[in-house]
Amino acid sequence: MTDTLEFNDIYQEVKGSWNDGRLRFSKQTVVYKSNKTGKVDSIPVAELTQAQWRRVCLGHGIKLATSTSHIFKYDGFKDSDFEKISEYFKANYKVELTEKDMCVKGWNWGTAKFGGPLLSFEVNDSPAFEIPLSSVSQCATGKNEVTVEFHQNDDMEVSLMEVRFYVPPSTGDEGADPVEAFAQNVLSKADVIQATGDAICIFRELQCLTPRGRYDIRIYPTFLHLHGKTFDYKIPYTTVLRLFLLPHKDQRQMFFVISLDPPIKQGQTRYHFLILLFSKEEDINLTLNMSEEEVEKRFEGKLSKNMSGSLYEMVSRVMKALVNRKITVPGNFQGHSGSQCITCSYKASSGLLYPLERGFIYVHKPPVHLRFEEITCVNFARGTTTTRSFDFEIEAKQGSQYTFSSIEREEYGKLFDFVNAKKLSIKNRGFKEKKGIKSNDDVYSDSDDDQHDAYLERMKQEGKIREEANNSDSEGDSDESFNPGEEDDDIAEEYDSKASDSESSRDGEDSDEENKKKSAKRGKIVKEKKRRKKEKKSKNSSAPKRPMSAYMLWLNSSREHIKAENPGISVTEISKKAGEMWKHLGKDKKEEWESKAEQAKKDYEKAMKEYKERGGGSSGSSKKKRKRNRDEKKKRKSTGRERESEKATGNDSFKSREFISSEESSSQSDHGKKGRKRKKGSDDEEEEVASTPLSSEEPGSD
């Protein structure tokens, strides 16, 4: 027989809802852990007095009773588990697991029996139903009637509000009222908060972030009383799940966080966390309202009657002793600035994210606590507004997703290493990085296993773009498409003098077409510039190569050494590792590589000078070619102007194109026809030439 028995999908009833979890029987304890809240119930074996096996709505269940009058019920077992559990109980617990049948007759007349924290309604000595008295919020009495009211569970769509019991008048002792006796038995075990007696201690005017305001905190033996100017809250210690003590990023303040289940309510608002903010410099002298013997007997040395120290230390110490739970503090994580938290935003509110040893907690609006066992995977996503930050996404097993945005880029490495060390499944982890890590979360991996680290890849790509931009700025004017000669010609044509009235209207019509062609020409220039940028490498293939920086020279010499020390490392991880090594490299070593880079730069400048002296490079030839094209274009324009002037000054008076005199000689007529024919055949050239004739000062035809 094994030393332990473990069962999954075991349910526990909490205020009308079924919470699933895991149950483990060992030789020393019986441990149940809830999957919803992470709360652990531990029952020492020596305290077990009774064990019952019952058929319930979720299959079969076990009811355990202890010597401390506590009762624990767990449902969800199979019929085949009875023999295995019964043999284990006989061998290790010396307690017999007995079978108990439930009454299913549906009768509503029976006997009410109070046993510890349970009210059992029995019909013919078989329990019909049981009421946990800890779920009772109020008990009211009538003439022959008792009304029991229950705490409401916000997680349930339907809740039981109240149950009424009819208590018949007693025929025995006339001095005892059976209705009042029934009510007192209920109230003695019910979760009804009654502020009787004096508080153990009082903390005045403490700053509370949720619920917001300043409250006096009165510490009672069984509950915590928050007294503010507007609202009062009474918090039983049984509803406290966890305690957190977290340092603020400014190292001058402290957060004290109390996790509650069920939460405290104010109207429709639910507060699952009580967050107090303290200054480290604030001290207090505290005296408990108890005698030293009572303090020693109740708290067993955890507290003393007179204490002094920082206010946050006193509050956390008192709460730890009364609630009997450990205080969770941040672990070994340290961010880029040296603090134990990360500044980020959640739901458009700025706050602090604390990576803990077993989860994450975000304070403060709204507070979020996520345990590692609740997390399916995490994801490092690109920031939506700027490249200086990134987002950290957490997917829970319940299907919800939490996105913590606007995290500084410098925190990426620290947070990635922390998540990696905790063996959480990273959604966008590269395949090679994931290959050497084995964890229980592999079942949640998806199709993104073979992707690179997206954020790191983007940072490298931006660095390449900046490097290319710097290289292009230092290449000189070889890629410029600016032609000053052409623009000068356009300006000169605009101010040609003595234009005729008959051609002025045609100039206005042509101006729109010229503007369109100019804009198209500018578009061509931009496209040509981009095209030449891509072809830059092929043009300058024979030119000397640019010198490498000191870091690149060092990286080329150290690359094989890094690969040897880290077998199977990816290309992206080599760059990341090299960057860290270069950052921590000694000053003397860096100066050595910088001197090598300086010498390489001098050699490059010398080789480039010799290359240009030999006539190398495409910039000079391209400039000569553009100059030759401009000269040819100017020559064609001047030839066109001369022909126009010959036509305009051939007679004493100017004749338009439409007018041909009958008295003109045939040679003149032929000359005009030839001119018109030439103009039709050279439309492309005429668009470049001004439509107005030259001034009369220029010489005419011979």
Side-chain angles (χ1 to χ4, degrees), residues 202-221:
I202 301 176
F203 298 99
R204 302 284 185 183
E205 293 291 324
L206 296 186
Q207 183 180 356
C208 193
L209 300 181
T210 54
R212 186 177 177 183
R214 288 192 173 270
Y215 292 85
D216 292 342
I217 297 184
R218 293 184 171 92
I219 305 295
Y220 288 91

Side-chain angles (χ1 to χ4, degrees), residues 463-504:
K464 289 181 180 179
I465 293 173
R466 286 195 295 270
E467 187 176 354
E468 290 179 1
N470 294 335
N471 292 343
S472 63
D473 292 341
S474 60
E475 283 294 329
D477 297 330
S478 60
D479 289 334
E480 293 292 329
S481 298
F482 176 63
N483 296 323
E486 296 179 4
E487 292 189 1
D488 292 340
D489 293 341
D490 293 338
I491 296 172
E493 291 174 13
E494 184 178 352
Y495 293 99
D496 284 343
S497 59
K498 293 185 180 182
S500 64
D501 295 336
S502 61
E503 293 185 0
S504 62

Side-chain angles (χ1 to χ4, degrees), residues 33 50 77 120 157 182 203 214 216 222 229 247 296 331 362 382 412 430 443 510 513 531 536 596-597 622 642 684 692:
K33 185 173 184 180
Q50 186 183 15
F77 294 96
S120 177
E157 297 180 359
F182 190 98
F203 298 99
R214 288 192 173 270
D216 292 342
T222 58
K229 295 181 179 179
E296 181 64 29
Y362 172 82
R382 177 175 181 171
Y412 173 75
V443 293
D510 294 339
E513 296 179 2
R531 194 181 302 117
K536 179 172 59 178
K596 291 182 180 181
S622 61
E642 290 176 359
D684 295 335
T692 57

Side-chain angles (χ1 to χ4, degrees), residues 168-202:
S170 176
T171 58
D173 188 3
E174 296 180 358
D177 186 0
V179 174
E180 289 296 331
F182 190 98
Q184 288 301 321
N185 286 328
V186 172
L187 290 174
S188 64
K189 299 294 183 181
D191 189 11
V192 179
I193 299 175
Q194 296 177 349
T196 58
D198 296 330
I200 296 176
C201 61
I202 301 176

